């Protein structure tokens, strides 16, 4: 049987090409797009303002591409983690995390199965790289989670390096922010990256969503010991690139800094970080390290975390500490993986 093409993840322009190619009027494309993204249809039968002949024609050649979660875990703090299959690779899976708070509900989405970056503290990196997610599988995470109607924010901080799969991520950002798509404000979306130069420049030139850079040490040699990518894309080079862009408007620049006990949590590190980031209009998010198997790094004391945060705030760098969520179900920062042995 011939495999059907997937409609989820297509833009309005792409849908118009399909519709005109099968001899239908162009306006039908917008109707279908509305059913996909705004009305969240899961079957062609739901598209009741389309002629049945057109619905049958679409059903012969295409599939919508929506699929349900295959596993769900709920943390004692209310965080939920979902396991999704991957359309183009049935033997692969990804994890997505829903983080409810009093005034917001954030979905942490994945962009790859595994990751190439091999950061020493990250469970996803220990998986190795399996495949890039297509736009359909990224969109499916957003549309198919149980609390999709409550979402206020999306963060690309799940499995994978988003800018290593830039074309798929860029298409999803277009769908999310376009009037014909989900019509979200770019201010509600943050993309996290380790700083891949080519992808970073494209993102900064083409997107208006927030940007978060994973830094974890202001010292190059130390950062390299945590993040092999420092050799190809040194943090100082990333800073020089960022200086060329304006972050004084709606788009914000964040730096993600995971604190490890006795490694990068001293006030000397805080001072070096302040000097490094001083030329930029940015904010720092501190993250307490969450232990993963077979990694000899420890979480810092609450006192060390508070001292680091206070130092940066007192010296002109806006800084907050991110509250850990979902650690008991391996849903916290750096803990996502589909390895069966992680428990």
């Amino acid at each position: 049987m011939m495999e059907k093409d997937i409609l989820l993840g297509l833009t309005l322009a792409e849908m118009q090409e399909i519709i005109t190619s099968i001899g239908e009027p162009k306006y039908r494309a917008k109707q279908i797009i509305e059913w996909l993204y705004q009305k969240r249809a899961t079957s062609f039968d739901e598209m009741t303002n389309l002629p049945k002949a057109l619905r049958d024609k679409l059903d012969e050649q295409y599939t919508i591409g929506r699929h349900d979660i295959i596993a769900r875990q709920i943390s004692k703090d209310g965080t939920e983690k979902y396991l999704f299959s991957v359309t183009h690779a049935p033997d692969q899976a990804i994890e997505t995390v829903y983080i409810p708070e009093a005034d917001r509900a954030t979905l942490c989405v994945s962009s790859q199965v595994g990751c190439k970056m091999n950061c020493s503290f990250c469970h996803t990196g220990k998986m190795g790289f399996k495949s890039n997610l297509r736009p359909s599988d990224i969109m499916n995470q957003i549309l198919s989670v149980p609390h999709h109607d409550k979402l206020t924010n999306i963060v690309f901080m799940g499995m994978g390096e988003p800018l290593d799969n830039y074309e798929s991520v860029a298409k999803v950002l277009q769908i999310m922010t376009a009037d014909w798509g989900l019509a979200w404000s770019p201010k509600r979306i943050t993309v996290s990256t380790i700083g891949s130069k080519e992808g970073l420049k494209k993102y900064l030139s083409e997107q208006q969503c927030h940007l978060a850079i994973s830094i974890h040490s202001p010292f190059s040699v130390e950062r390299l010991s945590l993040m092999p990518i420092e050799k190809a894309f040194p943090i100082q080079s990333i800073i020089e690139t960022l200086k060329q862009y304006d972050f004084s408007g709606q788009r914000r620049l964040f730096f993600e800094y995971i604190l490890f006990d006795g490694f990068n949590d001293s006030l000397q590190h805080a001072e070096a970080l302040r000097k490094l980031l001083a030329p930029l209009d940015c904010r720092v998010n501190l993250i307490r390290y969450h232990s993963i198997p077979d990694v000899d790094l420890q979480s810092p004391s609450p006192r060390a975390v508070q001292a680091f945060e206070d130092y940066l705030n007192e010296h002109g760098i806006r800084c907050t500490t991110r509250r850990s969520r979902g650690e008991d179900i391996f849903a916290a920062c750096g803990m996502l993986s589909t390895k069966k042995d992680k428990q």
Side-chain angles (χ1 to χ4, degrees), residues 263-275:
F263 182 83
N264 67 346
D265 61 346
S266 71
L267 294 187
Q268 288 77 17
H269 284 85
E271 170 59 12
L273 184 63
R274 182 196 68 79
K275 288 181 178 178

Side-chain angles (χ1 to χ4, degrees), residues 114-179:
C115 186
K116 298 176 185 176
M117 303 307 154
N118 196 28
C119 296
S120 64
F121 52 85
C122 179
H123 210 186
T124 306
K126 303 299 179 186
M127 290 176 59
F129 175 72
K130 308 298 182 185
S131 64
N132 282 324
L133 291 184
R134 297 175 181 176
S136 59
D137 279 306
I138 300 176
M139 284 304 305
N140 185 67
Q141 295 172 75
I142 298 164
L143 298 175
S144 296
V145 293
H147 308 288
H148 59 78
D149 56 331
K150 297 178 182 177
L151 296 178
T152 62
N153 297 81
I154 299 288
V155 294
F156 284 77
M157 297 181 182
M159 296 170 62
E161 162 55 53
L163 299 192
D164 190 45
N165 187 20
Y166 178 75
E167 298 306 323
S168 289
V169 170
K171 186 178 282 191
V172 170
L173 294 180
Q174 181 184 1
I175 293 167
M176 291 188 66
T177 57
D179 289 342

Side-chain angles (χ1 to χ4, degrees), residues 270-285:
E271 170 59 12
L273 184 63
R274 182 196 68 79
K275 288 181 178 178
L276 183 65
L277 303 185
L280 299 170
D281 185 353
C282 66
R283 306 177 184 208
V284 173
N285 289 328

Side-chain angles (χ1 to χ4, degrees), residues 23-76:
E24 296 288 339
K26 197 173 182 178
Y27 73 87
R28 293 292 186 194
K30 193 167 189 298
Q31 292 177 315
I32 297 169
I33 284 288
E34 288 175 350
W35 279 108
L36 289 179
Y37 302 130
Q38 296 171 16
K39 300 176 183 177
R40 302 172 187 263
T42 58
S43 72
F44 293 113
D45 287 341
E46 295 174 55
M47 301 181 182
T48 51
N49 59 348
L50 300 183
K52 188 174 187 308
L54 174 55
R55 282 181 274 158
D56 290 343
K57 189 187 299 186
L58 289 171
D59 195 35
E60 287 175 10
Q61 301 179 52
Y62 299 95
T63 181
I64 287 178
R66 288 282 299 279
H67 47 98
D68 294 331
I69 60 174
I70 54 178
R72 179 182 183 182
Q73 289 178 278
I74 301 178
S75 166
K76 59 187 178 184

Side-chain angles (χ1 to χ4, degrees), residues 111-301:
S111 55
Q112 295 179 315
V113 185
C115 186
K116 298 176 185 176
M117 303 307 154
N118 196 28
C119 296
S120 64
F121 52 85
C122 179
H123 210 186
T124 306
K126 303 299 179 186
M127 290 176 59
F129 175 72
K130 308 298 182 185
S131 64
N132 282 324
L133 291 184
R134 297 175 181 176
S136 59
D137 279 306
I138 300 176
M139 284 304 305
N140 185 67
Q141 295 172 75
I142 298 164
L143 298 175
S144 296
V145 293
H147 308 288
H148 59 78
D149 56 331
K150 297 178 182 177
L151 296 178
T152 62
N153 297 81
I154 299 288
V155 294
F156 284 77
M157 297 181 182
M159 296 170 62
E161 162 55 53
L163 299 192
D164 190 45
N165 187 20
Y166 178 75
E167 298 306 323
S168 289
V169 170
K171 186 178 282 191
V172 170
L173 294 180
Q174 181 184 1
I175 293 167
M176 291 188 66
T177 57
D179 289 342
W180 48 259
L182 298 186
W184 275 42
S185 165
K187 294 188 297 182
R188 298 168 61 188
I189 305 167
T190 303
V191 174
S192 177
T193 177
I194 50 87
S196 171
K197 192 168 185 179
E198 183 179 347
L200 181 61
K201 285 188 173 181
K202 282 186 178 180
Y203 180 87
L204 289 167
S205 299
E206 299 173 3
Q207 308 298 333
Q208 289 303 312
C209 300
H210 298 325
L211 177 68
I213 303 286
S214 297
I215 183 169
H216 312 318
S217 175
F219 303 119
S220 180
V221 172
E222 198 170 80
R223 188 172 188 257
L224 179 62
S225 71
L226 295 170
M227 307 169 68
I229 199 66
E230 169 70 13
K231 186 173 183 179
F233 306 117
I235 188 59
Q236 189 61 58
S237 173
I238 294 170
I239 298 294
E240 292 303 316
T241 298
L242 294 169
K243 285 181 185 178
Q244 301 170 30
Y245 296 86
D246 180 19
F247 295 97
S248 61
Q250 291 188 338
R251 178 169 66 177
R252 290 180 179 174
L253 173 62
F254 300 91
F255 284 86
E256 308 284 322
Y257 193 100
I258 297 177
L259 286 162
F260 306 98
D261 182 45
F263 182 83
N264 67 346
D265 61 346
S266 71
L267 294 187
Q268 288 77 17
H269 284 85
E271 170 59 12
L273 184 63
R274 182 196 68 79
K275 288 181 178 178
L276 183 65
L277 303 185
L280 299 170
D281 185 353
C282 66
R283 306 177 184 208
V284 173
N285 289 328
L286 298 181
I287 304 164
R288 180 179 60 79
Y289 172 62
H290 306 107
S291 298
I292 63 172
D294 305 317
V295 174
D296 190 23
L297 290 166
Q298 303 298 321
S299 182
S301 68

